[in-house]
Structure formats: C-alpha cells, structure tokens
Amino acid sequence: MLRRISREGVTLLGDRDPAHLNTPAWLWASWTESYGEETARAIAAAHLIEAPLDITPARTPSPGEPARGRGLPTGSLRRTAGGYIADLAGFAEGAWWVQDAAATIPARLMGDLSGKRVADLCAAPGGKTMQLCAAGAAVTAVDVSARRMIRLGENLTRSGLSAELVTSDVGKWKTSDKFDAVLLDAPCSGTGTLRRHPTSPG
C-alpha cells in the first residue's frame, strides 16, 4: 500500500488544494469574509511553510564567537527552520532557548533588572522567566499548569538558571512577598503559536 502511495499519491491527489485542506473550515470562512478569497489563500499557503526558529541567547556572545542565526532588533537570533531542536548546537548546554522574537519584548521593556525581585505570572514554559533570570532578577514564576511548570523547571536547569516556582492559579494566588516588578503577558504576545499551530482557536 505504501509503495502504491509513493508511486501514485500525487496523481490520486489530483487537483486538490493543499492550502485550503490544511485550514479548518471555520478559519477559512473567517479569512475569506474578512480579506477575500485571494488573500485567504495566500495566508493558508504561507502556513504550509515551516516558520523560522527564533532563539534567545543566554548571554551576549563574545567577540568572534560564531552566531547561531540572523540578529534581530529584539536581541533574538532567527535561524532557518529545520532539524530537531534538541540536537542543535548549544541547546543541551543551555546556551539558548526557543522564544519567539515578539515574546521577548515585554521583559526587555522592564529595563535594568539586576538585583530586583520580579513575579512572572502565567510563566510556563518559561521563556520570559529565563530572560528575567539571565538579566539578574530574582524571579518567582507562577503558572496554573503543573505539567508546564515541570517543563519550566527543566528549561531552567538546562540553562543553569534558577527561580522560585509556584504552581497556582494567578487569579487566586496570594503572597506576602514584595516585588519590584510584575510581568503578565497573557495571552502571549508572540505570533509563534499561530505560525506553528494554525488550527488553534482564537
């Protein structure tokens, strides 16, 4: 069966429209109504292309140190998509983490954080938490998802960073701690979710 698919698959697909087939009916209808069919088709076709990968370096590279991607104004590096992330150079050593460029902006807007106490709310999986820690802040990271908080802890360990982790609904979380700053970026400002998961509702 697989041999036949490899031989005849393209023919069997005929004149089907991959961009349209890859887009949920409700999303296609919304785009068509808002932008017209030509633009909707262009958006859907763009979703068939794997998005580039934005990474945040754990520190400023030393002079002469090879770059891992094209530098962006946010301080992120953008590399061509492709390859298993955990196998890319520097990942296992915690030299960088995956984080959409737009998602880095809220933490950067907070200025110098050296020695300051910061609460990062809705924190998991931890891109902004790691940003804050790397900037010298003492971070308390709060998120309702225990599973995602495990991932946050793993990311911190891999990057050699540390933060206080609290698994709690931020709407119900109470603390007597005093913070110099609070970061709440929900829903995330990053466009990466839709770029990589176009079927996500909302």
Side-chain angles (χ1 to χ4, degrees):
M1 183 182 294
L2 292 176
R3 289 193 190 96
R4 183 181 178 190
I5 290 174
S6 67
R7 288 194 310 266
E8 304 174 19
V10 175
T11 303
L12 293 172
L13 286 175
D15 58 354
R16 298 200 177 186
D17 184 348
H20 194 170
L21 290 173
N22 189 56
T23 307
W26 65 268
L27 190 54
W28 180 268
S30 175
W31 286 345
T32 302
E33 182 181 349
S34 299
Y35 309 116
E37 184 170 345
E38 183 178 350
T39 299
R41 187 172 301 282
I43 295 171
H47 281 164
L48 295 176
I49 303 170
E50 186 178 354
L53 184 69
D54 293 348
I55 64 175
T56 300
R59 56 176 175 76
T60 303
S62 303
E65 187 175 349
R68 298 181 179 88
R70 176 171 59 90
L72 300 178
T74 60
S76 303
L77 297 174
R78 176 163 290 173
R79 54 170 288 129
T80 304
Y84 182 54
I85 289 174
D87 288 342
L88 299 178
F91 178 83
E93 297 78 17
W96 52 268
W97 55 86
V98 176
Q99 186 179 18
D100 202 72
T104 68
I105 296 174
R108 293 188 184 282
L109 291 175
M110 301 182 86
D112 183 8
L113 294 171
S114 300
K116 294 185 178 179
R117 298 199 64 196
V118 181
D120 182 14
L121 308 184
C122 302
K128 298 178 189 72
T129 297
M130 290 187 286
Q131 262 189 286
L132 297 168
C133 292
V139 182
T140 298
V142 185
D143 198 279
V144 70
S145 171
R147 178 180 57 82
R148 286 165 57 86
M149 285 297 274
I150 291 173
R151 174 64 61 87
L152 194 160
E154 293 171 347
N155 286 334
L156 286 169
T157 299
R158 179 177 56 80
S159 302
L161 301 169
S162 62
E164 179 187 6
L165 306 185
V166 178
T167 302
S168 175
D169 182 335
V170 296
K172 300 176 181 177
W173 178 56
K174 295 181 180 180
T175 179
S176 58
D177 293 339
K178 304 295 183 183
F179 295 99
D180 298 298
V182 175
L183 191 156
L184 173 59
D185 182 29
C188 291
S189 58
T191 56
T193 299
L194 184 58
R195 285 196 301 154
R196 290 173 171 78
H197 305 283
T199 60
S200 298

